[in-house]
Amino acid sequence: MAGIDVANGVAGAVIGMLFAVLFQQPLQDSWYRLRRRSTRAIRSLRRKEESGSTWRAFSLGPLQTSALIVEGDGETPIPPETVYIHVLDDEVELPSDMVHWRGEIVAESERLRAEGRTPLWNGSRYAVESFDISRTSLDETPEVHLRLRPTDYHTFLAAQQLDRRLPDGTTPRFRYLDPEDPLRAPAFLQCSFAVNVAVVTADDMLVVSRRSDRVRMAPGVWNSSVNEGLSRHIDSAGRRAPDLHDVSRRGMREELSLEPHEYSLDLLAFVLDTDKRHWSAHFYAKLEHLRSSDLQARMSRGVADRWEHQTIDYVPFRPAQVIRYMLRDDRVHRWAPLAPALFHLALVHAYSRTLVERVEAQVIRRL
């Protein structure tokens, strides 16, 4: 009997081992799948209705910006004849409890001048009074109505102190801005309107600039190919309203030594930096014959505003290459707020939204 018991024990052990080998892992996998599905089902039952604003800033995976694309999708350019700009007569005025902030900037500039150093530049600029969008009655082409007021750079610097405490303990951001309505803001907080251009060479290289450490605003960050602010004296000669395409051409000439006959130019979008209240017209420029090496050689012979940039990168203008470049570890947190949206729109303009968004999703999944 003892021998039979031993044999039965051995047989049971063997059968148990075979059962464990053959069925234990599949059973564990099945139990895991059942538990995961049950958890998802319970979560879906608990899920409630959600709502969110239609105004969301541009983001791309880990790249988060404050750039709000207000009008334009990149695929269809905005015709220049549908952009209406009206310049008002009265200059922007700061609130009484912010006037001395501008006085501090003026005093700093005078101190630098007295010390024989470079004073703070104070060029004439425009502030955005309002930005409105409508559609034409026949083909629903966008119509943009932009109203501007005269201002200057010192007022802009004073108004940029959005988080500085006022006498009552609040800040300009808290007192004057509504995060639920980003398009509404007083003109004195919107003393910046610029053009940003994505330049692509004839051999399909995207020009990416790094701002100089010498500039007052956002030094050292990576930016668009060309960035040029509207000037009342230069862009409104003869008291006419500025033309945004002409401002872009001026920026192309001053920053890259390029002439209008050397490229095509398309207006892609109007974008607002909701954090700093900077408005921008985003353009795409394609060089007709100049390759990246030709552009470098051209710039080596002199550039009017060379001091604004300290580095220029040339990136293959293909969706995967540009997206990976924007998301590089040494780039992703070093962008000027409006630049990534510009490069995305330029890719969409050249390759279509469907292709670009598919490539963006692939690149982000592989990070």
Side-chain angles (χ1 to χ4, degrees), residues 49-348:
E49 293 182 0
E50 298 178 358
S51 63
S53 173
T54 57
W55 296 108
R56 298 193 62 180
F58 177 82
S59 63
L60 186 61
L63 176 55
Q64 305 292 315
T65 77
S66 53
L68 184 68
I69 301 176
V70 178
E71 177 60 39
D73 61 2
E75 289 193 308
T76 304
I78 299 173
E81 62 270 17
T82 64
V83 178
Y84 301 93
I85 300 178
H86 181 65
V87 179
L88 306 176
D89 292 331
D90 296 334
E91 289 201 17
V92 164
E93 293 186 3
L94 291 169
S96 58
D97 50 6
M98 291 176 61
V99 170
H100 72 282
W101 295 2
R102 186 182 185 280
E104 293 171 356
I105 294 167
V106 173
E108 180 187 356
S109 183
E110 292 302 319
R111 177 182 58 79
L112 292 171
R113 186 187 304 276
E115 295 174 355
R117 299 161 63 187
T118 303
L120 300 180
W121 178 81
N122 188 33
S124 58
R125 298 168 65 91
Y126 284 111
V128 177
E129 173 74 16
S130 65
F131 181 94
D132 297 307
I133 308 164
S134 60
R135 291 290 186 271
T136 59
S137 57
L138 293 179
D139 55 5
E140 296 191 353
T141 299
E143 285 188 347
V144 174
H145 298 267
L146 179 62
R147 298 170 75 225
L148 304 174
R149 284 194 182 277
T151 188
D152 61 23
Y153 193 68
H154 284 178
T155 301
F156 163 73
L157 291 177
Q160 281 293 283
Q161 303 175 72
L162 287 164
D163 298 306
R164 181 174 174 177
R165 293 292 178 183
L166 295 162
D168 64 356
T170 64
T171 65
R173 188 186 305 278
F174 177 83
R175 183 188 291 184
Y176 298 108
L177 300 180
D178 180 1
E180 300 300 322
D181 192 1
L183 298 189
R184 297 187 65 182
F188 69 84
L189 289 185
Q190 303 192 122
C191 293
S192 175
F193 194 105
V195 299
N196 282 275
V197 188
V199 176
V200 178
T201 62
D203 56 342
D204 291 324
M205 301 294 283
L206 174 65
V207 180
V208 182
S209 68
R210 187 181 184 189
R211 289 175 61 81
S212 169
D213 289 332
R214 297 176 57 193
V215 297
R216 178 84 177 193
M217 297 300 300
V221 299
W222 292 91
N223 200 13
S224 55
S225 315
V226 169
N227 171 263
E228 191 65 54
L230 270 65
S231 167
R232 280 192 286 134
H233 288 164
I234 301 174
D235 300 315
S236 299
R239 297 181 61 81
R240 64 177 175 82
D243 180 285
L244 299 181
H245 283 71
D246 285 345
V247 178
S248 297
R249 296 183 185 101
R250 177 168 67 83
M252 296 280 282
R253 181 175 61 255
E254 292 180 358
E255 298 185 16
L256 297 179
S257 292
L258 293 169
E259 298 300 329
H261 68 275
E262 297 180 305
Y263 54 84
S264 60
L265 188 65
D266 290 311
L267 173 58
L268 302 183
F270 289 89
V271 183
L272 169 66
D273 175 3
T274 58
D275 181 48
K276 294 294 188 180
R277 306 303 305 180
H278 296 181
W279 282 90
S280 171
H282 277 14
F283 283 84
Y284 170 82
K286 174 65 175 178
L287 304 191
E288 302 289 349
H289 305 292
L290 287 175
R291 300 168 298 175
S292 56
S293 58
D294 300 324
L295 181 57
Q296 293 179 65
R298 171 81 62 83
M299 295 180 67
S300 73
R301 295 190 285 271
V303 181
D305 287 345
R306 183 186 299 277
W307 64 274
E308 292 188 9
H309 301 154
Q310 66 184 39
T311 309
I312 291 182
D313 281 357
Y314 296 87
V315 183
F317 190 60
R318 300 287 185 271
Q321 283 93 328
V322 173
I323 295 162
R324 284 197 293 265
Y325 176 85
M326 289 196 294
L327 299 181
R328 271 172 40 176
D329 290 342
D330 60 342
R331 294 286 187 278
V332 67
H333 300 303
R334 294 293 299 164
W335 286 107
L338 297 172
L342 169 66
F343 295 146
H344 163 83
L345 292 168
L347 288 171
V348 168

Side-chain angles (χ1 to χ4, degrees), residues 15-30:
I15 293 173
M17 292 176 62
L18 290 174
F19 181 85
V21 171
L22 295 176
F23 300 106
Q24 183 178 12
Q25 189 61 44
L27 285 173
Q28 288 178 344
D29 293 342
S30 298

